[in-house]
């Protein structure tokens, strides 16, 4: 029987955090989520209150942890007014800094610190894929957030704790993220091409995201920055067409740029989240020998929408 691990997930109440929490609980691990809400216990997870910026009693949970996986950060699915932009910066930079301070003061520091970042750090790319070695950074608010986020992570000194920064693509899953709203669009006949349709979408299946985390925990030689995505980003037009095919919906009305602008204003978000071309590939993971179970979009959609699921052990997940 595998040793019970202790895993801390700051900001783990969101979609990706909950995917990981359910997985680790199913493995018999001790899972602690740091949350801005009141401390409680639910579904095998201990929720411990923190404010994401102040060193407090929550820091004691880090002692002897196998991994701290930081997912903290205000959602970017909002209008980029000054108040929201400041909250997006603060929630990422303050949480990363205070986690680094907490790890540094541990008597028995965590073995691994994984910090979530974003694949949107790369420029709008229609011409070629972006990997860690040759990818070019973009400009503007979203990129600046990512660069400051990574710089904050880099400056925190944790000599006894291995550090990994993940540039995460869009995670596709059943219970959250973009798939449920996209499926609703398709069901209503509105799941056509969005904008020009040539903008690339970088993505990863939720199951493969968990496999990446498990693989990185097991491979103690790996440090630094990694792109976490499928090696096959797809243009928006193909992304939406494939989703319609898997859902057996023959037609979807397209949404032009001006329609997206109006729609984004009404639902309180930004069109950048849809029209920026993110053509990101996992160069380092591939070079290190990691292979995804769902590298292609059609198979990923089929599993998410129609697949039968059963819990799998950590060993099965690491071995693929």
């Amino acid at each position: 029987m595998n040793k019970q691990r202790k895993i801390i997930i700051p900001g783990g109440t969101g979609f990706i955090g909950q995917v990981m929490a359910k997985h680790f609980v199913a493995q018999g691990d001790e899972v602690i989520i740091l949350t801005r809400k009141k401390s409680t216990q639910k579904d095998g997870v201990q929720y411990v209150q923190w404010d994401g910026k102040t060193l407090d009693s929550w820091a004691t949970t880090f002692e002897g942890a196998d991994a701290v996986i930081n997912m903290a950060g205000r959602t970017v699915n909002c209008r980029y007014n000054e108040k929201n932009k400041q909250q997006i910066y603060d929630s990422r930079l303050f949480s990363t800094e205070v986690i680094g301070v907490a790890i540094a003061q541990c008597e028995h520091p965590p073995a691994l610190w994984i910090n979530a970042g974003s694949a949107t750090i790369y420029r709008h790319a229609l011409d070629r894929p972006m990997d860690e070695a040759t990818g070019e950074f973009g400009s503007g608010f979203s990129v600046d957030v990512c660069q400051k986020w990574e710089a904050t992570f880099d400056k925190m000194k944790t000599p006894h704790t291995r550090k990994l920064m993940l540039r995460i693509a869009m995670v596709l899953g059943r219970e959250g993220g973009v798939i449920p709203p996209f499926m609703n669009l398709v069901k209503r006949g509105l799941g056509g091409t969005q904008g020009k349709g040539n903008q690339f979408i970088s993505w990863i299946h939720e199951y493969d995201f968990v496999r990446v985390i498990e693989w990185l925990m097991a491979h103690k030689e790996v440090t630094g920055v990694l792109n976490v995505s499928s090696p096959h980003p797809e243009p928006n037009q193909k992304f939406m067409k494939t989703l319609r095919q898997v859902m057996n919906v023959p037609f979807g009305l397209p949404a032009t740029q001006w329609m997206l602008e109006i729609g984004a204003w009404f639902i309180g978000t930004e069109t950048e989240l849809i029209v920026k071309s993110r053509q990101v590939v996992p160069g380092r993971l591939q070079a290190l020998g990691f292979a995804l179970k769902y590298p292609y979009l059609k198979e990923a959609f089929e599993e998410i929408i129609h697949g039968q699921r059963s819990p799998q052990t950590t060993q099965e997940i690491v071995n693929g």
Side-chain angles (χ1 to χ4, degrees):
M1 185 173 173
N2 290 335
K3 165 187 170 287
Q4 184 190 50
R5 299 171 299 182
K6 181 181 181 182
I7 297 165
I8 321 295
I9 312 177
T13 56
F15 159 56
I16 304 174
Q18 289 297 298
V19 168
M20 287 192 292
K22 287 175 185 174
H23 162 74
F24 289 127
V25 168
Q27 306 306 310
D29 295 323
E30 179 187 0
V31 180
I32 299 169
I33 286 178
L34 302 185
T35 173
R36 293 174 186 272
K37 297 177 181 177
K38 288 184 179 178
S39 300
T40 186
Q41 189 107 11
K42 185 183 178 185
D43 298 330
V45 177
Q46 184 183 350
Y47 290 84
V48 174
Q49 190 172 34
W50 78 328
D51 65 1
K53 59 184 178 182
T54 309
L55 200 63
D56 208 336
S57 57
W58 58 263
T60 61
T61 65
F62 284 16
E63 290 288 344
D66 291 274
V68 173
I69 307 170
N70 180 27
M71 305 300 298
R74 187 204 194 283
T75 179
V76 295
N77 187 14
C78 62
R79 296 299 286 180
Y80 290 166
N81 58 44
E82 290 310 307
K83 179 184 176 185
N84 287 343
K85 289 202 304 194
Q86 196 59 52
Q87 288 179 355
I88 288 168
Y89 277 117
D90 292 351
S91 61
R92 285 159 176 75
L93 307 188
F94 291 163
S95 62
T96 300
E97 187 162 331
V98 79
I99 286 168
V101 172
I103 289 173
Q105 72 167 20
C106 281
E107 191 173 333
H108 304 285
L112 172 63
W113 175 12
I114 294 175
N115 218 63
S118 174
T120 201
I121 195 168
Y122 299 108
R123 67 168 170 82
H124 178 86
L126 296 170
D127 54 334
R128 68 174 182 86
M130 300 283 152
D131 64 15
E132 301 90 338
T134 66
E136 298 167 356
F137 291 168
S139 59
F141 167 67
S142 298
V143 173
D144 189 59
V145 170
C146 292
Q147 289 183 293
K148 286 185 168 64
W149 202 1
E150 292 193 9
T152 302
F153 181 68
D154 287 342
K155 78 176 183 181
M156 305 312 296
K157 304 302 178 190
T158 59
H160 305 292
T161 298
R162 180 164 61 106
K163 293 170 69 181
L164 289 164
M165 186 81 191
L166 306 186
R167 293 173 181 162
I168 304 168
M170 184 186 292
V171 180
L172 307 182
R174 277 187 195 178
E175 305 297 330
V178 301
I179 292 301
F182 273 10
M183 286 178 68
N184 284 334
L185 285 176
V186 171
K187 287 173 187 173
R188 289 170 170 79
L190 302 172
T193 300
Q194 297 162 330
K196 291 183 179 179
N198 64 341
Q199 71 274 25
F200 281 85
I201 296 175
S202 291
W203 60 275
I204 186 168
H205 188 290
E206 60 182 334
Y207 178 76
D208 277 325
F209 179 81
V210 169
R211 289 182 64 239
V212 169
I213 298 297
E214 285 284 8
W215 192 88
L216 291 171
M217 289 176 70
H219 287 74
K220 297 178 172 55
E221 73 281 6
V222 183
T223 61
V225 176
L226 295 102
N227 291 345
V228 180
S229 67
S230 159
H232 304 291
E234 296 287 3
N236 175 273
Q237 184 178 27
K238 184 175 179 183
F239 186 95
M240 298 307 297
K241 182 179 179 181
T242 305
L243 182 58
R244 293 196 307 272
Q245 286 175 340
V246 172
M247 291 179 66
N248 296 312
V249 176
F251 176 76
L253 283 172
T256 61
Q257 179 71 30
W258 67 266
M259 290 176 179
L260 292 175
E261 293 284 355
I262 293 171
W265 185 83
F266 268 107
I267 64 174
T269 190
E270 293 285 342
T271 56
E272 178 196 326
L273 301 176
I274 294 173
V275 300
K276 179 177 177 179
S277 186
R278 297 170 174 85
Q279 194 176 172
V280 179
V281 292
R284 286 196 66 202
L285 281 172
Q286 287 184 298
L288 291 163
F290 180 85
L292 276 73
K293 186 174 177 66
Y294 299 102
Y296 296 102
L297 194 58
K298 189 166 188 286
E299 289 77 5
F301 281 154
E302 284 174 343
E303 195 289 324
I304 290 166
I305 295 168
H306 303 301
Q308 300 296 313
R309 296 189 175 183
S310 58
Q312 292 186 287
T313 66
T314 297
Q315 203 58 48
E316 288 172 325
I317 284 170
V318 171
N319 294 337

